[in-house]
Amino acid sequence: MRIESITLRELHLPLKHFFETSFGRTESRRVLLLTACCDGVEGWAECVASEGPFFSYEWIETAWATLRDFLAPTLIGTELSRAGDAAAQLARVRGHNMAKAAIENALWDAEAKQKQIPLWHLLGGTQPEITCGVSIGIQNSHDQLLEKIETELAAGYQRIKVKVKSGWDIEVLGKIRQRWTDIVLSCDANSAYRPSDLERLRRFDDFNLLMIEQPYWDDDIVQHAKLQRELRTSICLDESIRSARDAESAIELEACRIINIKVGRVGGFSEAIAVHNVCQRGNIPVWCGGMLETGIGRAHNVALSTLPNFRLPGDVSASQRYWTEDIVDPEIEVSPQGTISVSDKSGTGYDVKKDLVEKLTVRKEIIRGQTVSA
Ligand code: OSB
Ligand code: MG
């Protein structure tokens, strides 16, 4: 496949309901979409960098600049035999995984369309149906949270994950468990705790949680290993796993028993598959994380979730939980059993609503051949 041009677009989309984690609240998304034009076929992807550098150092402006000035110029005009080969070309840029993933994933999308096969087959997926959970942010009140959980359970979701931080944790988990003794429940701290919180974290063992996600620093595996030895509850790492090598370290040190794979966080589908394979060999189940994506990123998460070691429900949920109108057709829908049946159409099986995308676009830049400066 020859990469002819790359288009970056920024869209503004208000969330139906704010999403709050231990690091802050998001009311509206600035979404970066990338289109790669290859031999006349368009591949689409979403860059999951957020509005600010809080989940990771990347945010929409660093991703845009890195894509425009370094990543896109590296690939434009080159010929690749497969999308997965892009990763090696992009490796000269250090970090900026979310920016890299946007470009690589658009190429996978284009390759699937060119070959007229479903993207999930191209990725090596084996599960035609995936299981879904929801991630529920910190709310204005405990009652508001309980109401949200009730709604999502009624919709059929198979696992409830709630965001926690000091002061929105023990009491909240207690109230949830009092009302629902045996739902599959987990929590996500997004690095809200420190080793000095150990006694508080021990109390999480009272709530029969499937896991506690990312209790400590994003850049630390050793401290998580120490914590895992102290807790009955399984630790799941999200922010700390940026590559297959990180996954190997975490498994070797027994820092977690579960890993969340976000394709953007690890730099694209080829590294996501590598993380998946390392975990499969280490008997560590994985699940697919989410980053408040539109249907474009969401469709890629659906495809990734079909790989065999995705053994736990992911944060891959319906478009209508986030958006008044999603930018793909059909929208991502979840069955009353909390599952998504994956399409057998070529590509993702979800078509981009180009007119709507154009209407929502506030910034656009088309990158054609140029040379990369050292
Ligand atoms: O840690 O999983 C996370 C959203 C933004 C940043 C980080 C996280 C999340 C979520 C949302 O939990 C998952 C979703 O897209 O529904
Ligand atoms: Mg997380």
mmCIF file of all heavy atoms in Angstrom, residues 61-90:
data_model
loop_
_atom_site.group_PDB
_atom_site.id
_atom_site.type_symbol
_atom_site.label_atom_id
_atom_site.label_comp_id
_atom_site.label_asym_id
_atom_site.label_seq_id
_atom_site.Cartn_x
_atom_site.Cartn_y
_atom_site.Cartn_z
ATOM 1 N N GLU A 61 -3.083 18.671 21.173
ATOM 2 C CA GLU A 61 -2.135 19.552 20.471
ATOM 3 C C GLU A 61 -0.781 18.870 20.229
ATOM 4 O O GLU A 61 -0.173 19.071 19.185
ATOM 5 C CB GLU A 61 -1.933 20.858 21.244
ATOM 6 C CG GLU A 61 -3.194 21.718 21.367
ATOM 7 C CD GLU A 61 -3.651 22.358 20.056
ATOM 8 O OE1 GLU A 61 -2.875 22.364 19.080
ATOM 9 O OE2 GLU A 61 -4.800 22.842 20.021
ATOM 10 N N THR A 62 -0.307 18.070 21.188
ATOM 11 C CA THR A 62 0.971 17.368 20.953
ATOM 12 C C THR A 62 0.781 16.312 19.871
ATOM 13 O O THR A 62 1.669 16.093 19.043
ATOM 14 C CB THR A 62 1.525 16.693 22.230
ATOM 15 O OG1 THR A 62 0.637 15.645 22.638
ATOM 16 C CG2 THR A 62 1.733 17.688 23.355
ATOM 17 N N ALA A 63 -0.382 15.676 19.889
ATOM 18 C CA ALA A 63 -0.639 14.625 18.889
ATOM 19 C C ALA A 63 -0.708 15.250 17.493
ATOM 20 O O ALA A 63 -0.112 14.738 16.537
ATOM 21 C CB ALA A 63 -1.937 13.896 19.228
ATOM 22 N N TRP A 64 -1.417 16.365 17.394
ATOM 23 C CA TRP A 64 -1.566 17.036 16.087
ATOM 24 C C TRP A 64 -0.193 17.433 15.552
ATOM 25 O O TRP A 64 0.163 17.125 14.396
ATOM 26 C CB TRP A 64 -2.474 18.274 16.248
ATOM 27 C CG TRP A 64 -2.879 18.901 14.958
ATOM 28 C CD1 TRP A 64 -2.067 19.600 14.098
ATOM 29 C CD2 TRP A 64 -4.175 18.888 14.349
ATOM 30 N NE1 TRP A 64 -2.771 20.023 13.002
ATOM 31 C CE2 TRP A 64 -4.079 19.603 13.133
ATOM 32 C CE3 TRP A 64 -5.410 18.346 14.715
ATOM 33 C CZ2 TRP A 64 -5.178 19.789 12.277
ATOM 34 C CZ3 TRP A 64 -6.506 18.539 13.866
ATOM 35 C CH2 TRP A 64 -6.380 19.241 12.669
ATOM 36 N N ALA A 65 0.596 18.103 16.386
ATOM 37 C CA ALA A 65 1.902 18.601 15.943
ATOM 38 C C ALA A 65 2.851 17.454 15.599
ATOM 39 O O ALA A 65 3.601 17.518 14.618
ATOM 40 C CB ALA A 65 2.505 19.495 17.032
ATOM 41 N N THR A 66 2.828 16.394 16.399
ATOM 42 C CA THR A 66 3.735 15.263 16.165
ATOM 43 C C THR A 66 3.343 14.512 14.897
ATOM 44 O O THR A 66 4.212 14.101 14.109
ATOM 45 C CB THR A 66 3.737 14.323 17.395
ATOM 46 O OG1 THR A 66 4.005 15.111 18.554
ATOM 47 C CG2 THR A 66 4.792 13.236 17.265
ATOM 48 N N LEU A 67 2.044 14.385 14.683
ATOM 49 C CA LEU A 67 1.576 13.748 13.447
ATOM 50 C C LEU A 67 1.959 14.584 12.232
ATOM 51 O O LEU A 67 2.499 14.077 11.252
ATOM 52 C CB LEU A 67 0.052 13.562 13.494
ATOM 53 C CG LEU A 67 -0.420 12.359 14.312
ATOM 54 C CD1 LEU A 67 -1.885 12.504 14.718
ATOM 55 C CD2 LEU A 67 -0.212 11.059 13.528
ATOM 56 N N ARG A 68 1.695 15.896 12.307
ATOM 57 C CA ARG A 68 1.929 16.776 11.152
ATOM 58 C C ARG A 68 3.414 16.901 10.823
ATOM 59 O O ARG A 68 3.830 16.806 9.673
ATOM 60 C CB ARG A 68 1.339 18.164 11.447
ATOM 61 C CG ARG A 68 1.546 19.183 10.321
ATOM 62 C CD ARG A 68 1.290 20.600 10.820
ATOM 63 N NE ARG A 68 2.162 20.895 11.948
ATOM 64 C CZ ARG A 68 1.828 21.689 12.971
ATOM 65 N NH1 ARG A 68 0.656 22.274 13.010
ATOM 66 N NH2 ARG A 68 2.683 21.894 13.954
ATOM 67 N N ASP A 69 4.242 17.091 11.866
ATOM 68 C CA ASP A 69 5.645 17.432 11.613
ATOM 69 C C ASP A 69 6.568 16.220 11.497
ATOM 70 O O ASP A 69 7.635 16.321 10.898
ATOM 71 C CB ASP A 69 6.179 18.340 12.737
ATOM 72 C CG ASP A 69 5.494 19.707 12.737
ATOM 73 O OD1 ASP A 69 4.804 20.022 11.743
ATOM 74 O OD2 ASP A 69 5.634 20.436 13.723
ATOM 75 N N PHE A 70 6.199 15.095 12.084
ATOM 76 C CA PHE A 70 7.119 13.947 12.091
ATOM 77 C C PHE A 70 6.517 12.642 11.574
ATOM 78 O O PHE A 70 7.093 11.994 10.708
ATOM 79 C CB PHE A 70 7.679 13.735 13.503
ATOM 80 C CG PHE A 70 8.487 14.909 13.977
ATOM 81 C CD1 PHE A 70 7.937 15.849 14.838
ATOM 82 C CD2 PHE A 70 9.791 15.101 13.526
ATOM 83 C CE1 PHE A 70 8.677 16.960 15.248
ATOM 84 C CE2 PHE A 70 10.543 16.199 13.931
ATOM 85 C CZ PHE A 70 9.978 17.137 14.795
ATOM 86 N N LEU A 71 5.371 12.241 12.135
ATOM 87 C CA LEU A 71 4.876 10.895 11.826
ATOM 88 C C LEU A 71 4.328 10.801 10.395
ATOM 89 O O LEU A 71 4.699 9.893 9.652
ATOM 90 C CB LEU A 71 3.823 10.471 12.856
ATOM 91 C CG LEU A 71 4.337 10.405 14.304
ATOM 92 C CD1 LEU A 71 3.185 10.158 15.275
ATOM 93 C CD2 LEU A 71 5.392 9.297 14.465
ATOM 94 N N ALA A 72 3.480 11.747 10.023
ATOM 95 C CA ALA A 72 2.919 11.696 8.663
ATOM 96 C C ALA A 72 4.022 11.826 7.605
ATOM 97 O O ALA A 72 4.072 11.022 6.670
ATOM 98 C CB ALA A 72 1.825 12.753 8.492
ATOM 99 N N PRO A 73 4.949 12.800 7.743
ATOM 100 C CA PRO A 73 5.999 12.918 6.713
ATOM 101 C C PRO A 73 6.885 11.674 6.588
ATOM 102 O O PRO A 73 7.432 11.411 5.515
ATOM 103 C CB PRO A 73 6.827 14.120 7.191
ATOM 104 C CG PRO A 73 5.872 14.925 8.021
ATOM 105 C CD PRO A 73 4.984 13.922 8.693
ATOM 106 N N THR A 74 7.031 10.908 7.672
ATOM 107 C CA THR A 74 7.821 9.678 7.608
ATOM 108 C C THR A 74 7.190 8.663 6.666
ATOM 109 O O THR A 74 7.893 7.906 5.992
ATOM 110 C CB THR A 74 7.938 9.054 9.024
ATOM 111 O OG1 THR A 74 8.625 9.979 9.850
ATOM 112 C CG2 THR A 74 8.679 7.734 9.016
ATOM 113 N N LEU A 75 5.870 8.642 6.609
ATOM 114 C CA LEU A 75 5.189 7.588 5.848
ATOM 115 C C LEU A 75 4.696 8.019 4.472
ATOM 116 O O LEU A 75 4.558 7.178 3.569
ATOM 117 C CB LEU A 75 4.000 7.040 6.659
ATOM 118 C CG LEU A 75 4.365 6.206 7.887
ATOM 119 C CD1 LEU A 75 3.107 5.744 8.601
ATOM 120 C CD2 LEU A 75 5.221 4.989 7.520
ATOM 121 N N ILE A 76 4.415 9.306 4.314
ATOM 122 C CA ILE A 76 3.826 9.740 3.034
ATOM 123 C C ILE A 76 4.805 9.500 1.891
ATOM 124 O O ILE A 76 6.001 9.791 1.994
ATOM 125 C CB ILE A 76 3.379 11.213 3.115
ATOM 126 C CG1 ILE A 76 2.134 11.274 4.010
ATOM 127 C CG2 ILE A 76 3.062 11.774 1.732
ATOM 128 C CD1 ILE A 76 1.744 12.648 4.407
ATOM 129 N N GLY A 77 4.267 8.919 0.830
ATOM 130 C CA GLY A 77 5.084 8.603 -0.343
ATOM 131 C C GLY A 77 5.768 7.256 -0.237
ATOM 132 O O GLY A 77 6.382 6.800 -1.203
ATOM 133 N N THR A 78 5.667 6.593 0.907
ATOM 134 C CA THR A 78 6.314 5.282 1.030
ATOM 135 C C THR A 78 5.302 4.178 0.699
ATOM 136 O O THR A 78 4.096 4.392 0.677
ATOM 137 C CB THR A 78 6.892 5.021 2.441
ATOM 138 O OG1 THR A 78 5.806 4.970 3.373
ATOM 139 C CG2 THR A 78 7.878 6.101 2.846
ATOM 140 N N GLU A 79 5.863 3.007 0.471
ATOM 141 C CA GLU A 79 5.073 1.840 0.098
ATOM 142 C C GLU A 79 5.259 0.810 1.215
ATOM 143 O O GLU A 79 6.387 0.479 1.584
ATOM 144 C CB GLU A 79 5.662 1.313 -1.234
ATOM 145 C CG GLU A 79 4.978 0.141 -1.841
ATOM 146 C CD GLU A 79 3.901 0.556 -2.851
ATOM 147 O OE1 GLU A 79 4.084 1.591 -3.518
ATOM 148 O OE2 GLU A 79 2.904 -0.170 -2.949
ATOM 149 N N LEU A 80 4.137 0.325 1.769
ATOM 150 C CA LEU A 80 4.239 -0.692 2.818
ATOM 151 C C LEU A 80 3.551 -1.953 2.323
ATOM 152 O O LEU A 80 2.539 -1.866 1.620
ATOM 153 C CB LEU A 80 3.518 -0.238 4.096
ATOM 154 C CG LEU A 80 4.047 0.983 4.853
ATOM 155 C CD1 LEU A 80 3.140 1.286 6.043
ATOM 156 C CD2 LEU A 80 5.474 0.741 5.353
ATOM 157 N N SER A 81 4.093 -3.132 2.707
ATOM 158 C CA SER A 81 3.379 -4.331 2.273
ATOM 159 C C SER A 81 2.200 -4.612 3.206
ATOM 160 O O SER A 81 1.217 -5.215 2.807
ATOM 161 C CB SER A 81 4.306 -5.529 2.148
ATOM 162 O OG SER A 81 5.023 -5.706 3.326
ATOM 163 N N ARG A 82 2.299 -4.161 4.436
ATOM 164 C CA ARG A 82 1.146 -4.293 5.346
ATOM 165 C C ARG A 82 1.172 -3.160 6.371
ATOM 166 O O ARG A 82 2.243 -2.616 6.683
ATOM 167 C CB ARG A 82 1.138 -5.656 6.035
ATOM 168 C CG ARG A 82 2.480 -6.085 6.620
ATOM 169 C CD ARG A 82 2.445 -7.500 7.141
ATOM 170 N NE ARG A 82 1.587 -7.594 8.310
ATOM 171 C CZ ARG A 82 1.978 -7.292 9.548
ATOM 172 N NH1 ARG A 82 3.202 -6.865 9.801
ATOM 173 N NH2 ARG A 82 1.155 -7.414 10.561
ATOM 174 N N ALA A 83 -0.022 -2.855 6.921
ATOM 175 C CA ALA A 83 -0.153 -1.731 7.866
ATOM 176 C C ALA A 83 0.743 -1.919 9.088
ATOM 177 O O ALA A 83 1.321 -0.959 9.598
ATOM 178 C CB ALA A 83 -1.612 -1.608 8.312
ATOM 179 N N GLY A 84 0.861 -3.170 9.536
ATOM 180 C CA GLY A 84 1.660 -3.456 10.726
ATOM 181 C C GLY A 84 3.121 -3.038 10.576
ATOM 182 O O GLY A 84 3.815 -2.815 11.573
ATOM 183 N N ASP A 85 3.592 -2.903 9.328
ATOM 184 C CA ASP A 85 4.986 -2.494 9.106
ATOM 185 C C ASP A 85 5.214 -1.015 9.417
ATOM 186 O O ASP A 85 6.357 -0.563 9.496
ATOM 187 C CB ASP A 85 5.406 -2.761 7.653
ATOM 188 C CG ASP A 85 5.482 -4.261 7.357
ATOM 189 O OD1 ASP A 85 5.467 -5.046 8.324
ATOM 190 O OD2 ASP A 85 5.540 -4.633 6.166
ATOM 191 N N ALA A 86 4.133 -0.253 9.580
ATOM 192 C CA ALA A 86 4.283 1.182 9.851
ATOM 193 C C ALA A 86 4.977 1.419 11.196
ATOM 194 O O ALA A 86 5.765 2.360 11.341
ATOM 195 C CB ALA A 86 2.916 1.863 9.849
ATOM 196 N N ALA A 87 4.696 0.536 12.162
ATOM 197 C CA ALA A 87 5.212 0.751 13.523
ATOM 198 C C ALA A 87 6.730 0.917 13.541
ATOM 199 O O ALA A 87 7.257 1.813 14.194
ATOM 200 C CB ALA A 87 4.778 -0.395 14.433
ATOM 201 N N ALA A 88 7.431 0.075 12.772
ATOM 202 C CA ALA A 88 8.899 0.147 12.747
ATOM 203 C C ALA A 88 9.366 1.485 12.171
ATOM 204 O O ALA A 88 10.363 2.059 12.620
ATOM 205 C CB ALA A 88 9.462 -1.017 11.940
ATOM 206 N N GLN A 89 8.630 1.999 11.175
ATOM 207 C CA GLN A 89 8.991 3.288 10.569
ATOM 208 C C GLN A 89 8.779 4.446 11.551
ATOM 209 O O GLN A 89 9.516 5.430 11.529
ATOM 210 C CB GLN A 89 8.115 3.561 9.337
ATOM 211 C CG GLN A 89 8.100 2.469 8.286
ATOM 212 C CD GLN A 89 9.421 2.356 7.570
ATOM 213 O OE1 GLN A 89 10.011 3.360 7.228
ATOM 214 N NE2 GLN A 89 9.892 1.140 7.389
ATOM 215 N N LEU A 90 7.753 4.302 12.387
ATOM 216 C CA LEU A 90 7.395 5.400 13.293
ATOM 217 C C LEU A 90 8.217 5.366 14.582
ATOM 218 O O LEU A 90 8.204 6.315 15.369
ATOM 219 C CB LEU A 90 5.896 5.335 13.635
ATOM 220 C CG LEU A 90 4.939 5.394 12.429
ATOM 221 C CD1 LEU A 90 3.489 5.256 12.893
ATOM 222 C CD2 LEU A 90 5.133 6.688 11.633
#
